[in-house]
Amino acid sequence: SQQGEEDPQALSIQEGENATMNCSYKTSINNLQWYRQNSGRGLVHLILIRSNEREKHSGRLRVTLDTSKKSSSLLITASRAADTASYFCATVRSGGSYIPTFGRGTSLIVHP
Amino acid sequence: NAGVMQNPRHLVRRRGQEARLRCSPMKGHSHVYWYRQLPEEGLKFMVYLQKENIIDESGMPKERFSAEFPKEGPSILRIQQVVRGDSAAYFCASSPEDRGNTIYFGEGSWLTVV
C-alpha cells in the first residue's frame, strides 16, 4: 500500500487564493518530500522536510510536518494559474533502503 | 548540467513484443530508481539500482520485467511480451547517494500497448 496519502484528491480555486494540501502516512519517516507534476511531464522536486523539522519555506510554498500525527501539509500562497498541476508527497522511511514512496496526489486547478 | 534523460518519450508496441526503456542519470549520480504511473494515479516504485547492482526490486513484477544499470551506459528497463496492462508512463529518477535525499526525475517514457 502507498505510504503517503494526499487529501483532497482534487482542489479547484481562484487565482490569488491559497491552496492547502495534506499528506498522511503510516510509519516512521526519515524525511518527507513534496513534488509537482504538470500534465504529461516528469515530477519536479519542491521541498524536502526532515523528521526533526516542523516547518520549511520556499518562496510561496510552506510545508509543515507533524510527526506525532504522521501528517504534513503543503500551502501555496497567492496561487497563480501556472500552479495548476498535480502535487505528490513522498515519504522515505527511517531504516531500510531509502526509497521515496509516493501517494496518489492532489490535482490542483487554479482558475485565472 | 543535463538532467535525467529518458528515451524514448513515447513507445508503441504490439502485444507480445518487447519494450526497452532507457535512462541516463544526472552527471555524478550513481543511483537510479524506476517508477510506473497509471493514468490518474500516483507513482508506484518498481526497482532501485546502483551501478552493476540491484538494491531493491520489490516493486517489480517477477515475470517479464527486468532492469539493469551497467558500469557503462544507461539504465535499461526491459519488458518482455508486453500486454495491454503494461501501458503506462515509466519514470526514472536518480540521486547521487543512498541517503534518502532528493531524487531527480526524467520526463518519462509513455508506453502504449496495442
Side-chain angles (χ1 to χ4, degrees), chain A residues 31 37 41 45 50 98 100, chain B residues 35 37 98 100-102 107:
Chain A
N31 65 66
Q37 183 182 35
R41 305 295 299 272
H45 179 258
R50 300 193 184 282
Y98 292 110
Chain B
Y35 289 84
Q37 185 178 38
D98 183 18
N101 291 326
T102 300
E107 291 291 326

Side-chain angles (χ1 to χ4, degrees), chain A residues 4-44:
Chain A
E5 289 296 335
E6 293 88 345
D7 171 65
Q9 288 189 10
L11 184 59
S12 181
I13 60 175
Q14 294 295 128
E15 216 167 23
E17 294 181 338
N18 295 342
T20 299
M21 288 158 269
N22 303 296
C23 172
S24 59
Y25 57 92
K26 297 176 182 174
T27 64
S28 296
I29 60 170
N30 176 286
N31 65 66
L32 185 145
Q33 306 171 29
W34 284 93
Y35 289 79
R36 164 197 169 123
Q37 183 182 35
N38 288 80
S39 182
R41 305 295 299 272
L43 277 74
V44 175

Side-chain angles (χ1 to χ4, degrees), chain A residues 11 13 17-21 62 74-79 108 110:
Chain A
L11 184 59
I13 60 175
E17 294 181 338
N18 295 342
T20 299
M21 288 158 269
R62 172 177 169 249
L74 170 66
L75 168 67
I76 304 174
T77 59
S79 63
L108 172 65
V110 181

Side-chain angles (χ1 to χ4, degrees), chain A:
Chain A
S1 62
Q2 297 286 27
Q3 165 73 322
E5 289 296 335
E6 293 88 345
D7 171 65
Q9 288 189 10
L11 184 59
S12 181
I13 60 175
Q14 294 295 128
E15 216 167 23
E17 294 181 338
N18 295 342
T20 299
M21 288 158 269
N22 303 296
C23 172
S24 59
Y25 57 92
K26 297 176 182 174
T27 64
S28 296
I29 60 170
N30 176 286
N31 65 66
L32 185 145
Q33 306 171 29
W34 284 93
Y35 289 79
R36 164 197 169 123
Q37 183 182 35
N38 288 80
S39 182
R41 305 295 299 272
L43 277 74
V44 175
H45 179 258
L46 297 176
I47 287 186
L48 181 153
I49 186 164
R50 300 193 184 282
S51 59
N52 61 353
E53 297 176 309
R54 291 297 167 259
E55 188 171 312
K56 284 189 86 168
H57 297 256
S58 176
R60 293 184 295 112
L61 306 180
R62 172 177 169 249
V63 168
T64 61
L65 179 65
D66 187 335
T67 53
S68 67
K69 295 181 179 178
K70 291 187 169 57
S71 68
S72 172
S73 67
L74 170 66
L75 168 67
I76 304 174
T77 59
S79 63
R80 305 167 182 168
D83 294 328
T84 295
S86 292
Y87 292 82
F88 296 89
C89 71
T91 53
V92 176
R93 293 182 182 180
S94 53
S97 57
Y98 292 110
I99 299 170
T101 304
F102 288 81
R104 298 171 71 92
T106 292
S107 175
L108 172 65
I109 297 176
V110 181
H111 299 279

Side-chain angles (χ1 to χ4, degrees), chain B residues 94-112:
Chain B
S94 72
S95 66
E97 57 195 7
D98 183 18
R99 293 188 183 178
N101 291 326
T102 300
I103 63 175
Y104 298 87
F105 281 86
E107 291 291 326
S109 291
W110 267 257
L111 171 65
T112 302

